[in-house]
Amino acid sequence: MSGSTPSADRIWHAQAGDLLADDYNVPGIVMCAIGVVGLACTLVAAGTAHIGWALVAGTITLLFLGGGVVALMFEHHREQKIEQLLGRTGHAPGHAGPQRYSAAEIPTRRPGGAIET
């Protein structure tokens, strides 16, 4: 499963679709999809007064949705540790200032309202 994490020498920024491109996320995504199908089955069983089947489908739904979310969170933390080891902070929460990706100066406002560059 090469290609899951970009090489350290490549310039990298988080982009839309990174979650789907990572091979290690597939089990979590599949489990969440099965959980959504289980939710539909639960609603159909409950709506047609099949209480036993509704309980079974509800249990399966909870297991698969919970497991899928846990798998995705586990993978997210694994990727975050790899990115930190490679020195890529990207858009991590907790940055006090704006992230600069160009050489252009960022205009700032003084307390009086004047803009300085």
Side-chain angles (χ1 to χ4, degrees):
M1 291 188 195
S2 64
S4 173
T5 303
S7 64
D9 57 345
R10 196 176 98 189
I11 296 174
W12 179 87
H13 298 290
Q15 297 176 356
D18 282 347
L19 175 75
L20 296 173
D22 188 2
D23 296 341
Y24 292 108
N25 285 328
V26 173
I29 293 170
V30 169
M31 288 176 74
C32 285
I34 292 172
V36 170
V37 171
L39 178 62
C41 293
T42 303
L43 294 174
V44 168
T48 56
H50 292 93
I51 304 302
W53 284 110
L55 291 174
V56 170
T59 304
I60 291 171
T61 298
L62 286 175
L63 289 175
F64 274 98
L65 279 178
V69 168
V70 168
L72 289 173
M73 287 175 52
F74 178 77
E75 174 58 20
H76 172 73
H77 289 297
R78 187 190 72 84
E79 282 288 329
Q80 196 172 29
K81 286 180 185 176
I82 291 171
E83 295 300 326
Q84 288 173 352
L85 287 174
L86 295 176
R88 301 181 186 139
T89 57
H91 300 281
H95 286 287
Q99 295 295 308
R100 296 186 61 186
Y101 296 110
S102 69
E105 291 190 35
I106 299 174
T108 56
R109 289 194 181 271
R110 288 187 173 180
I115 298 177
E116 72 178 39
T117 56

